Amino acid sequence: MRRAGAGLLRTGRRAALAASLVASWLSGGAAGAAGLSPEEERGRQIYHQGTSPGDSPIFAYVGRENVRMPGQFLVCASCHGEDGLGRPEGGVEPSNVTWSYLTKTYGHAHQNGRRHPAFTEASVAAAIVAQIDPAGNALDPAMPRYEMSAEDLAALLAYMKRLEFQLDPGLSETAIRIGTLLPKSGAYGALGEAVEATIRAYFEEVNAAGGIFGRRLELVVARGAEEPAALTVGARRLVEEDGGVFAVLGAVTLGAERDVWPIFEGAGAPNIDPFTLFAGHGELAGDRTFFLLAGLPGQARALVEYSAKHVAPPPGAVAAILPPATLYDDVAMAIEDQARRSGLAGAKVLRLAGGRGAIEQVVTEMRGAGIEALYFFGDMAVLGDLIAEAAARNWSPRLLLPGQTAGPAVLGLPDAFDGRIHLAYPNLPEDQSSQGREEFQALRIRHGLAPQYLATQIRALAAAKVLVEGLRRAGRSLSRSALVAALEGLAKFDTGQLPPLSFGSNRRIGARGAHILTVDLRAGRFRPEEVWVNVD
């Protein structure tokens, strides 16, 4: 098997040799308009994954020392983009590698003064394997030099010719297909219907106003039972059937995050604001998943920060009680880390599933350790038994927990905890601006949205607005990578429905913080503290 770039070709006097060598490997011939040929499909895998579908390895050589590493660690698409346009990042400006740009007749003049004629097949190949431009100049050291078989190089060149004409899945000249995954029935069936109805209503309004640069938004809904296996099947349908969807919006995953999210990430589909308690979980999150609001890990940080900065006097000793499930590992780490950052004594983390004996032991241990603030994440029935045991022992620590899992049950806790129970909410009705409230009410009336699940409808509307803003900013030459880049550029974006949202290349949670409410047991109500705890 011949290998391109097997030797360390140098610039200058070897430039002509490299050009003539690779020219002999490449053949002309325009690709057909419909679909990709087998050779182009091979090139597509090389461009996007850095691997060959054949048995020949691909290597990349990096820097002046020519450090060798597998090609999948330095994928073409990761720098030049899935669309080949190249976008500046970290001080590096990857070039546009679309064929029409490379081969423009008047050549190229770069900001650093380097000039060269238009690329040809042979000189593009020389740039890939020898790191030189058509004039024999060395390319920027940030550009790796690749070693691959002659067949793989020819396939990569063939795909590069088609790159700018390839539309991502779910995208056509007239439509953008957006998917959502919702429960069909059961406890969350009606909630799923509320999500679908809200997104569909907003899409209809956008389409009536001309769509996104002339493309209509089409909502594709996969419904299934609440079991992870059924949701997984639904997720695969979204990315595999009828050409797939361009992006996913507002999917209700119901604890099946580990099964579902990797399917979307693996298919390259941006996943905007899936409904989950675990937004931002390190094990679950991916490069293309964007959350509007903080999940349990972020809310845990907000509760710890609140107890340290807004409670007088701040607690001397703190502890956290979490379920044994591994999904809560990130919550435990968030509490421990934020306690250190906030100047509190190290947080003691205990795992508790319930059971009278275990609860008695936990109360004995924490009371003896002088715990003054307790962060609780878990089942409310367990909390009820825990607090009953604490009250019987005349122990009433300050109690801090996420409002999404607490609910009205906290109003029935003993009076000894009056004013000592604090709840975190990533958003409240007060986050709606007056204009946003009018927009939401008008949408509900025009489209006959149900009066139930208003908070869910508000969030679904906000998520749809974020997606549409990203699509518009991505421009007419829409691609998934362009959408991701556009979403990363949103800063303090006001949906009118939620707190301002900001994303970035290393930030996938729009509003990283929570409102804190205090429970007034005697009055039987939640008392807003007018405190937004930011944990950026």
Side-chain angles (χ1 to χ4, degrees):
M1 180 76 69
R2 292 170 298 166
R3 302 194 62 76
L8 297 180
L9 295 175
R10 306 298 183 188
T11 59
R13 62 189 178 85
R14 291 198 175 181
L17 173 62
S20 62
L21 176 64
V22 294
S24 67
W25 292 335
L26 304 174
S27 59
L36 297 177
S37 69
E39 182 184 42
E40 291 163 348
E41 284 287 359
R42 179 173 184 156
R44 184 180 188 278
Q45 179 174 326
I46 296 167
Y47 183 87
H48 291 279
Q49 301 177 29
T51 61
S52 170
D55 58 359
S56 56
I58 294 176
F59 295 102
Y61 292 83
V62 190
R64 302 186 189 281
E65 294 78 18
N66 278 294
V67 178
R68 187 190 198 214
M69 60 180 61
Q72 61 262 39
F73 293 158
L74 287 169
V75 177
C76 303
S78 64
C79 287
H80 298 287
E82 294 185 0
D83 51 12
L85 296 177
R87 292 173 179 82
E89 183 175 353
V92 177
E93 297 191 15
S95 59
N96 181 334
V97 294
T98 58
W99 204 256
S100 61
Y101 178 81
L102 292 174
T103 58
K104 60 183 183 179
T105 56
Y106 48 85
H108 300 261
H110 299 274
Q111 290 184 349
N112 63 1
R114 181 167 59 89
R115 305 176 68 90
H116 58 80
F119 279 94
T120 63
E121 285 184 346
S123 56
V124 172
I128 294 170
V129 303
Q131 219 175 24
I132 54 177
D133 69 18
N137 303 311
L139 300 181
D140 190 300
M143 168 67 183
R145 179 181 63 78
Y146 290 91
E147 177 185 339
M148 65 184 74
S149 71
E151 290 79 4
D152 282 341
L153 180 61
L156 177 58
L157 269 289
Y159 176 69
M160 289 178 65
K161 294 178 185 178
R162 298 290 305 274
L163 183 60
E164 61 193 298
F165 306 109
Q166 291 298 299
L167 294 176
D168 280 330
L171 193 62
S172 72
E173 296 297 335
T174 59
I176 307 170
R177 288 162 46 88
I178 305 297
T180 189
L181 177 64
L182 303 172
K184 182 167 62 175
S185 58
Y188 294 96
L191 181 144
E193 291 175 359
V195 171
E196 177 184 355
T198 305
I199 295 175
R200 196 175 294 280
Y202 186 67
F203 280 9
E204 288 180 11
E205 305 253 319
V206 173
N207 290 336
I212 308 295
F213 296 109
R215 289 185 170 111
R216 291 180 52 81
L217 293 173
E218 295 181 356
L219 183 63
V220 181
V221 181
R223 289 189 176 274
E226 297 179 7
E227 294 76 18
L231 291 170
T232 300
V233 171
R236 292 198 180 282
R237 285 207 309 269
L238 285 178
V239 301
E240 293 175 358
E241 293 183 1
D242 300 322
V245 296
F246 181 74
V248 181
L249 175 67
V252 180
T253 48
L254 301 168
E257 291 88 351
R258 277 198 176 103
D259 303 293
V260 170
W261 293 359
I263 295 173
F264 299 145
E265 282 284 335
N271 184 10
I272 293 94
D273 201 38
F275 281 74
T276 177
L277 290 174
F278 297 97
H281 191 293
E283 179 187 343
L284 299 173
D287 291 339
R288 300 201 161 199
T289 302
F290 292 81
F291 306 97
L292 269 57
L293 302 172
L296 295 185
Q299 293 172 50
R301 288 186 179 276
L303 289 169
V304 174
E305 180 71 2
Y306 174 80
S307 65
K309 302 295 173 61
H310 299 276
V311 169
V318 300
I321 293 182
L322 310 173
T326 57
L327 270 176
Y328 286 85
D329 290 351
D330 255 28
V331 179
M333 289 188 289
I335 291 172
E336 292 171 330
D337 179 65
Q338 195 65 40
R340 288 191 295 270
R341 291 169 179 257
S342 302
L344 296 175
K348 184 179 184 63
V349 177
L350 301 170
R351 299 301 185 111
L352 180 63
R356 182 172 182 80
I359 288 174
E360 290 177 351
Q361 180 179 346
V362 165
V363 171
T364 299
E365 181 178 347
M366 289 192 299
R367 187 173 184 274
I371 298 299
E372 297 176 357
L374 178 63
Y375 312 109
F376 183 88
F377 289 74
D379 187 270
M380 285 304 296
V382 175
L383 178 63
D385 293 341
L386 181 77
I387 294 304
E389 182 66 24
R393 308 263 194 107
N394 294 318
W395 178 57
S396 53
R398 197 171 293 275
L399 183 63
L400 303 102
L401 63 160
Q404 290 171 298
T405 59
V410 295
L411 296 173
L413 295 179
D415 287 346
F417 288 86
D418 186 45
R420 300 179 63 78
I421 305 172
H422 310 285
L423 307 178
Y425 286 91
N427 70 302
L428 292 174
E430 290 79 6
D431 291 324
Q432 273 189 314
S433 65
S434 58
Q435 183 177 354
R437 191 174 299 110
E438 291 176 3
E439 176 189 29
F440 175 65
Q441 293 299 338
L443 188 75
R444 290 186 61 238
I445 293 171
R446 283 195 298 268
H447 296 271
L449 301 182
Q452 296 83 20
Y453 298 103
L454 294 183
T456 298
Q457 293 175 12
I458 289 171
R459 181 161 177 175
L461 173 58
K465 294 187 73 172
V466 167
L467 169 65
V468 167
E469 180 69 14
L471 293 172
R472 286 173 173 157
R473 293 193 184 195
R476 296 180 182 276
S477 300
L478 182 60
S479 68
R480 284 170 165 175
S481 59
L483 172 60
V484 169
L487 292 174
E488 289 178 346
L490 294 182
K492 296 183 178 179
F493 177 64
D494 185 11
T495 64
Q497 311 299 325
L498 299 177
L501 306 171
S502 298
F503 299 102
S505 59
N506 294 310
R507 178 183 172 123
R508 288 296 186 267
I509 300 176
R512 295 166 63 172
H515 296 280
I516 306 297
L517 279 64
T518 296
V519 179
D520 187 335
L521 293 175
R522 291 184 172 86
R525 67 185 183 91
F526 299 156
R527 184 177 71 243
E529 293 286 336
E530 297 186 356
V531 172
W532 167 267
V533 180
N534 195 349
V535 291
D536 277 341

